[in-house]
Amino acid sequence: GRMKTHAHLGDCWKEFNDQVRCSICMSGAPRLKLLFETNTQLKSRWSASYALHPFAYGDDFRDLAQFIVTLLQPQSLENLQQFLLNADALNRVQHATDGVPAHVVRLLQRVMTLLGSGSELNMPLLDAAWCRSLPNTTFLPNHRRPFHAAFNFERLNGMDEPFYPSPFDGDNHAPYH
């Protein structure tokens, strides 16, 4: 079973790394750690790892705000930064992405695309960007849509919601080891 699959996948990664002859960065699910734990040769090829955990709920969103500023810096869109960096917008971005950096990036990419097409910067634009960045969100009721005025500011981790814990990856905000 399982160990053979991990060994085979590890061997594929090693072979791929040999063929491309450049640095490779892997990111993703916590289960990726298991791949390295079961294949010591693969583990020896990657000398460093860094866990990029989701931004936490309930803090002042300072880290999330800094992350957004860093992502938007090359664009130097001051009005977008001002809009997104107020406490209400940060709280909504946190809920819309569950604080997962990859989701924040994807959301901001969709926002930039919509702004580039001449759309006005407002909460409906953020809602449209959010629906395009995460599948199966357009059907959610208004009180479960982070950029809608009726949003109830509860995590979107219920059944049929975007951050429902999967059997593979679990909860984004579970304690990490």
Side-chain angles (χ1 to χ4, degrees), residues 17-39:
N17 189 28
D18 289 342
Q19 289 177 8
V20 296
R21 293 185 179 149
C22 67
S23 297
I24 296 177
C25 175
M26 289 189 270
S27 65
R31 64 180 178 248
L32 186 60
K33 186 175 182 181
L34 184 60
L35 179 62
F36 288 93
E37 290 172 353
T38 58
N39 193 314

Side-chain angles (χ1 to χ4, degrees), residues 83 88-89 91-96 107 122-131 137-154 156:
F83 186 83
D88 179 57
N91 195 3
R92 291 173 186 276
V93 169
Q94 173 71 30
H95 283 85
L107 174 65
N122 53 28
M123 288 297 174
L125 175 127
L126 292 177
D127 184 66
W130 180 66
C131 288
T137 53
T138 54
F139 70 89
L140 292 173
N142 291 340
H143 73 280
R144 301 305 289 147
R145 296 174 75 96
F147 299 108
H148 193 277
F151 183 59
N152 63 5
F153 292 94
E154 293 177 6
L156 295 168

Side-chain angles (χ1 to χ4, degrees), residues 1-159:
R2 206 172 188 182
M3 294 304 257
K4 279 185 178 178
T5 303
H6 288 109
H8 179 68
L9 182 58
D11 290 342
C12 289
W13 269 113
K14 289 185 292 188
E15 194 173 310
F16 176 71
N17 189 28
D18 289 342
Q19 289 177 8
V20 296
R21 293 185 179 149
C22 67
S23 297
I24 296 177
C25 175
M26 289 189 270
S27 65
R31 64 180 178 248
L32 186 60
K33 186 175 182 181
L34 184 60
L35 179 62
F36 288 93
E37 290 172 353
T38 58
N39 193 314
T40 54
Q41 284 184 346
L42 180 65
K43 187 177 183 176
S44 69
R45 290 180 184 226
W46 274 270
S47 59
S49 67
Y50 178 76
L52 188 59
H53 298 295
F55 298 103
Y57 283 90
D59 64 7
D60 60 5
F61 303 114
R62 192 175 17 221
D63 292 336
L64 175 59
Q66 186 58 48
F67 185 68
I68 290 172
V69 166
T70 301
L71 291 173
L72 294 177
Q73 215 157 25
Q75 317 306 328
S76 66
L77 296 171
E78 199 166 314
N79 63 334
L80 179 59
Q81 283 188 23
Q82 288 175 354
F83 186 83
L84 288 175
L85 296 181
N86 72 63
D88 179 57
L90 283 170
N91 195 3
R92 291 173 186 276
V93 169
Q94 173 71 30
H95 283 85
T97 62
D98 207 30
V100 176
H103 295 315
V104 175
V105 169
R106 194 172 309 124
L107 174 65
L108 292 178
Q109 286 173 330
R110 299 304 186 272
V111 167
M112 298 301 291
T113 299
L114 291 172
L115 285 174
S117 66
S119 298
E120 182 183 340
L121 179 60
N122 53 28
M123 288 297 174
L125 175 127
L126 292 177
D127 184 66
W130 180 66
C131 288
R132 291 178 183 180
S133 68
L134 284 173
N136 304 320
T137 53
T138 54
F139 70 89
L140 292 173
N142 291 340
H143 73 280
R144 301 305 289 147
R145 296 174 75 96
F147 299 108
H148 193 277
F151 183 59
N152 63 5
F153 292 94
E154 293 177 6
R155 277 188 72 202
L156 295 168
N157 64 343
M159 184 70 90

